[in-house]
């Protein structure tokens, strides 16, 4: 069965400015929503607090659980059902941090026994994260995302442009820049933002358009996925960071497929013809593979989102948004950026001298 005709020629490149505007609007709206909400809704992993998983023998409701635990000061926490309705199992998240993990379990069990009766509830797990640990986890999560993007820039510049020496210069400059910013006591969020800007500037100055396109595309995917969490006010936790790193890897794979074809076509044609035509032809030649891969992956993630239960619901949501955006960016952002780079970096023609 022929899914897409081999001679198909959709003008993706011609739609690049509309795509840039759409991406910019989504990112600005997302950042605006983040500013309006005062930041992301951080999970216990990052903000500190306690997560308790409890199973009941009989059906109960979140309001009954809140009433039972009101004496411990954790009644304002989020209570969420996990598993099927018949399991009667709940996850209780509270920002309250307790000093003794063992005592916490005993105290909660005593309160539940007092309200529901002995043997009617079982605490399956208690996890506690202190505020300092939450702050450390936030910093490490930011560093993980930043280093993922940095090493991708180095890999792309080395593999696609055979500039491993230039990649080494970029890596050394970035390490020195990050070290200096850290030495003057810059906050981690400012340090990561400055390092990302420095990465993009170095890609431009060192003439690494493939790396520039890949990094901008990945930052674009991460920002829009985070914006989706800002729009929906969903909880942002370590699990979502894992999803973001997965999205970075998936989106990069899509981008590399298209970049590979562009490089092959550039070699075949010896750059005869417009770069726009070569990029557009390359996107069309890989379109069937892109749609089949992304379509089947999205189908699996959609099943996880609908049927996977509340525990992985937010993880599946992040993947659903990220994979969709990653596919879009490999077609409409990463590849057209090569054209934009060539247009902007083209040297102006020398002015023709006229006889005086």
């Amino acid at each position: 069965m022929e899914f897409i005709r081999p001679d198909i020629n959709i003008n993706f490149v011609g739609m690049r400015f509309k795509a840039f505007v759409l991406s910019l609007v989504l990112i600005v709206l997302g950042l605006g929503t983040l500013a309006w909400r005062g930041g992301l809704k951080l999970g216990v992993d990052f903000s500190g607090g306690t997560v308790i998983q409890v199973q009941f023998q009989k059906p109960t409701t979140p309001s009954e659980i809140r009433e039972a635990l009101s004496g411990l000061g954790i009644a304002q926490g989020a209570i969420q059902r996990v598993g099927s309705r018949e399991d009667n199992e709940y996850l209780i998240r509270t920002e309250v941090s307790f000093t003794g993990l063992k005592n916490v379990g005993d105290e909660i069990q005593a309160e539940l026994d007092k309200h529901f009766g002995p043997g009617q509830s079982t605490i399956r797990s208690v996890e506690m994260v202190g505020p300092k640990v939450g702050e450390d986890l936030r910093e490490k999560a930011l560093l993980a995302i930043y280093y993922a993007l940095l090493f991708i820039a180095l890999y792309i510049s080395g593999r696609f442009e055979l500039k491993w020496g230039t990649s080494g210069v970029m890596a050394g400059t970035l390490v020195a820049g990050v070290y200096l910013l850290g030495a003057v006591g810059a906050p981690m969020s400012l340090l990561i933002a400055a390092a990302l800007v420095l990465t993009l500037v170095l890609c431009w100055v060192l003439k690494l358009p493939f790396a520039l396109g890949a990094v901008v595309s990945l930052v674009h995917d991460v920002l829009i996925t985070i914006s989706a969490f800002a729009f929906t006010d969903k909880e942002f936790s370590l699990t979502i960071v894992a999803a973001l790193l997965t999205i970075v890897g998936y989106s990069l794979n899509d981008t590399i497929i298209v970049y590979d074809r562009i490089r092959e076509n550039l070699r075949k044609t010896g750059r005869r013809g417009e770069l726009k035509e070569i990029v557009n032809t390359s996107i069309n030649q890989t379109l069937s593979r892109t749609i089949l891969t992304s379509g089947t992956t999205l189908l699996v993630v959609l099943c996880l989102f609908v049927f996977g239960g509340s525990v992985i619901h937010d993880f599946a949501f992040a993947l659903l948004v990220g994979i969709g955006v990653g596919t879009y960016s490999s077609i409409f952002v990463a590849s057209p950026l090569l054209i934009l780079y060539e247009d902007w970096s083209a040297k102006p023609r020398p002015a023709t001298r006229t006889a005086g």
Side-chain angles (χ1 to χ4, degrees):
M1 184 181 69
E2 189 176 75
F3 184 65
I4 293 180
R5 294 197 325 271
D7 60 342
I8 191 168
N9 186 23
I10 302 172
N11 187 13
F12 292 109
V13 166
M15 295 183 268
R16 64 186 184 282
F17 291 114
K18 291 178 183 174
F20 291 159
V21 171
L22 175 64
S23 297
L24 194 62
V25 167
L26 287 176
I27 291 170
V28 169
L29 283 176
L31 295 178
T33 308
L34 275 178
W36 177 60
R37 292 188 188 278
L40 285 166
K41 182 181 177 182
L42 296 178
V44 172
D45 302 339
F46 294 139
S47 61
T50 308
V51 179
I52 308 131
Q53 189 168 352
V54 189
Q55 185 173 36
F56 295 89
Q57 295 298 319
K58 295 178 181 177
T60 184
T61 62
S63 57
E64 287 180 292
I65 300 171
R66 285 183 203 280
E67 186 181 343
L69 299 178
S70 58
L72 296 176
I74 59 177
Q76 299 304 317
I79 300 178
Q80 184 180 24
R81 186 195 299 276
V82 294
S84 65
R85 183 174 292 275
E86 292 75 22
D87 292 339
N88 298 319
E89 200 162 328
Y90 287 86
L91 210 59
I92 304 164
R93 292 186 175 90
T94 172
E95 295 180 357
V96 177
S97 295
F98 299 88
T99 51
L101 192 60
K102 184 177 178 182
N103 292 337
V104 172
D106 293 341
E107 288 178 17
I108 294 171
Q109 187 66 69
E111 290 295 316
L112 292 173
D113 288 347
K114 194 188 300 178
H115 190 86
F116 294 102
Q120 294 300 308
S121 61
T122 306
I123 294 179
R124 299 178 69 84
S125 66
V126 178
E127 297 175 14
M128 189 175 65
V129 178
K132 176 61 180 163
V133 175
E135 187 181 340
D136 289 345
L137 287 174
R138 279 203 304 274
E139 292 185 353
K140 287 176 181 173
L142 282 171
L143 276 176
I145 294 173
Y146 166 68
Y147 280 117
L149 295 176
L150 169 62
F151 284 115
I152 284 168
L154 299 180
Y155 167 71
I156 295 282
S157 55
R159 176 180 168 182
F160 283 89
E161 296 166 292
L162 301 176
K163 294 180 179 176
W164 290 107
T166 309
S167 300
V169 172
M170 184 166 73
T173 310
L174 279 169
V175 169
V178 170
Y179 176 79
L180 288 175
L181 285 171
V184 298
M188 182 59 69
S189 54
L190 179 63
L191 190 147
I192 299 297
L196 272 176
V197 172
L198 185 59
T199 303
L200 297 176
V201 170
L202 285 172
C203 286
W204 182 277
V205 172
L206 298 174
K207 298 181 179 177
L208 302 170
F210 283 94
L212 180 69
V215 173
V216 171
S217 169
L218 294 177
V219 171
H220 163 277
D221 299 345
V222 169
L223 283 178
I224 291 188
T225 306
I226 289 175
S227 298
F229 275 76
F231 294 144
T232 55
D233 202 23
K234 283 183 174 292
E235 200 171 80
F236 194 85
S237 63
L238 268 179
T239 310
I240 307 306
V241 173
L244 288 179
L245 291 174
T246 307
I247 291 164
V248 166
Y250 183 89
S251 176
L252 177 67
N253 184 53
D254 249 9
T255 302
I256 282 179
I257 297 293
V258 182
Y259 275 6
D260 256 336
R261 188 55 61 94
I262 293 172
R263 187 177 56 166
E264 286 174 15
N265 288 334
L266 283 172
R267 283 177 181 168
K268 283 179 188 173
T269 59
R271 295 212 63 151
R272 290 189 299 275
E274 288 281 331
L275 179 62
K276 291 175 189 172
E277 293 174 12
I278 295 172
V279 170
N280 202 57
T281 303
S282 304
I283 295 173
N284 277 284
Q285 286 174 345
T286 53
L287 189 60
S288 179
R289 178 259 170 208
T290 302
I291 291 177
L292 284 172
T293 307
S294 300
T296 49
T297 310
L298 276 174
L299 187 62
V300 172
V301 177
L302 184 64
C303 290
L304 284 177
F305 179 73
V306 176
F307 304 111
S310 55
V311 174
I312 60 169
H313 191 269
D314 288 352
F315 179 77
F317 174 76
L319 288 183
L320 207 57
V321 174
I323 290 173
V325 173
T327 305
Y328 158 84
S329 71
S330 65
I331 295 174
F332 291 105
V333 179
S335 304
L337 275 174
L338 298 177
I339 302 167
L340 209 60
Y341 174 84
E342 185 173 270
D343 290 345
W344 284 357
S345 62
K347 292 180 180 177
R349 293 180 181 176
T352 306
R353 291 187 178 179
T354 56

